[in-house]
Amino acid sequence: MEMSDEPETQRLQDLIPQNLDDIIRANRDKCRLAFATDEECHELERDLANAAAGKVCHTLKDWNLLMIHVTANGSVKSLPKLLGGVQETGQCWITSTVKGIDTHTGLVLTENSLYRVVGPRDSEPDKHLLLHVCVWLNQRGVGRYFGVPEFFY
């Protein structure tokens, strides 16, 4: 008699987030993930022409600004992170906190580095980027608290 893999397959499929909102599965009143609104992007707009002379760490494609909205002591703090795929290798990438974005030059300045983005913002990241967000949150030690699927590299 052959055993079916259907329950195991379904369980694995249930672990994989279907979208950004499906990553935080517990304590959702304390943390919310979303892509930056046009208004949030506008608030981060900076003239980075002078930074253009700096060394670009990576060029990212299929990118967007990931907003991590954390609620603590009655107030919300929003942390913008650049999420995308490294153009040269396809490697998934999340940056340190974004300090400014120059949509005219395609440059993004973070706390630690300068990045270039190519193409439009991607509002529907592929499964690899969604899994990378899970890994990133788990590596920072907050995954279990927020019910993030337990994926690790």
Side-chain angles (χ1 to χ4, degrees):
M1 182 195 301
E2 190 172 308
M3 291 185 58
S4 170
D5 287 335
E6 286 182 31
E8 289 297 316
T9 301
Q10 185 60 46
R11 203 171 73 155
L12 182 58
Q13 287 175 343
D14 290 345
L15 277 177
I16 299 171
Q18 300 303 305
N19 53 51
L20 196 60
D21 189 54
D22 193 27
I23 292 174
I24 302 291
R25 298 179 178 183
N27 296 302
R28 290 172 59 93
D29 59 320
K30 295 182 175 50
C31 184
R32 184 175 64 85
L33 302 179
F35 287 124
T37 63
D38 289 342
E39 181 181 320
E40 288 168 326
C41 286
H42 183 71
E43 290 172 9
L44 288 166
E45 184 71 32
R46 306 280 187 276
D47 179 1
L48 298 177
N50 292 336
K55 184 177 186 311
V56 171
C57 178
H58 289 297
T59 298
L60 299 183
K61 61 181 183 167
D62 304 325
W63 66 279
N64 206 328
L65 293 177
L66 172 65
M67 300 297 289
I68 303 170
H69 302 288
V70 179
T71 302
N73 301 321
S75 66
V76 177
K77 181 173 183 173
S78 298
L79 302 170
K81 307 287 185 175
L82 179 61
L83 171 69
V86 176
Q87 186 175 36
E88 300 80 10
T89 65
Q91 178 183 8
C92 297
W93 203 263
I94 297 177
T95 68
S96 57
T97 300
V98 172
K99 295 300 182 187
I101 181 168
D102 187 333
T103 54
H104 300 295
T105 62
L107 294 174
V108 179
L109 182 64
T110 69
E111 287 180 326
N112 301 318
S113 301
L114 180 66
Y115 294 86
R116 182 172 309 283
V117 293
V118 293
R121 287 175 43 195
D122 183 4
S123 61
E124 292 293 327
D126 69 16
K127 297 264 189 267
H128 295 101
L129 285 172
L130 293 174
L131 290 174
H132 186 65
V133 173
C134 293
V135 169
W136 186 82
L137 289 167
N138 284 316
Q139 287 175 336
R140 273 138 194 83
V142 298
R144 182 166 286 159
Y145 180 75
F146 291 120
V148 174
E150 294 185 15
F151 291 102
F152 295 90
Y153 293 141

